Amino acid sequence: MKVRTRMIAAVVLVTLLSGCSLVEGVRQIDQTLDYTNEAASYVAGAAAWAESIPAMVERAATDPAARDGLIRELESIRSRIERFNGLDAPQAAQDIHRRIVGYNETLQQDIGAFLEKLNGDIRNFDQAYLESGIGRTLGEIAELIGTIQNLGKE
């Protein structure tokens, strides 16, 4: 009788322990999916910024209101960068998160330098934008979409 009780207790214990790991596994999958959605949205935003900012720069060269709009947009991007960098990436996404954060640090510097020029006496907006590296860095971020979409498939 004691052996049977111990066997039942062992089976119950194993079942409970495997259930806990199952719950933990589901939680990790949910976190990975949440992060994947957030990262995909961020990268899609970077691709949209890469497309829209050059036209904004062009308008800003002749229109003070457009210049103010460009400055607001760049400041908004900086805020979005900070929010993204503050995300808690699940284990499966640690490498891609570090890569994006690295690009984001470069992008923060690029934007900061360009904003200084915008707030100063800038003559050639297009050249200043090209020299800033913003477009290149946004393009590098946008190229990560495939990696992000494959996070849950590994």
Side-chain angles (χ1 to χ4, degrees), residues 2-149:
K2 279 185 163 181
V3 173
R4 186 173 182 190
T5 305
R6 286 185 180 174
M7 281 293 269
I8 291 172
V11 168
V12 169
L13 182 61
V14 167
T15 303
L16 288 174
L17 290 176
S18 67
C20 291
S21 64
L22 178 65
V23 169
E24 179 61 27
V26 169
R27 190 173 66 82
Q28 288 178 2
I29 290 169
D30 285 344
Q31 288 175 337
T32 300
L33 288 173
D34 289 345
Y35 178 84
T36 300
N37 290 335
E38 188 71 32
S41 173
Y42 178 77
V43 169
W49 298 328
E51 287 183 24
S52 66
I53 291 178
M56 293 177 80
V57 168
E58 190 175 316
R59 286 190 305 276
T62 58
D63 181 359
R67 183 180 191 162
D68 292 341
L70 175 60
I71 290 170
R72 282 191 305 277
E73 181 67 16
L74 292 171
E75 289 171 348
S76 173
I77 292 170
R78 289 175 96 176
S79 295
R80 183 101 192 261
I81 289 169
E82 290 174 17
R83 282 193 306 276
F84 183 85
N85 286 355
L87 289 178
D88 186 24
Q91 187 63 36
Q94 289 291 318
D95 289 337
I96 190 70
H97 188 72
R98 275 191 291 272
R99 286 178 62 192
I100 295 172
V101 167
Y103 285 134
N104 283 345
E105 289 170 358
T106 300
L107 187 56
Q108 287 278 37
Q109 293 170 359
D110 296 343
I111 290 172
F114 188 59
L115 283 171
E116 282 182 31
K117 290 180 180 180
L118 284 174
N119 290 318
D121 187 24
I122 189 171
R123 297 201 192 296
N124 189 335
F125 282 73
D126 293 333
Q127 185 63 34
Y129 177 71
L130 289 174
E131 290 172 359
S132 74
I134 293 171
R136 181 188 66 253
T137 305
L138 287 171
E140 290 169 341
I141 293 170
E143 289 176 6
L144 296 174
I145 192 67
T147 305
I148 292 167
Q149 290 171 338

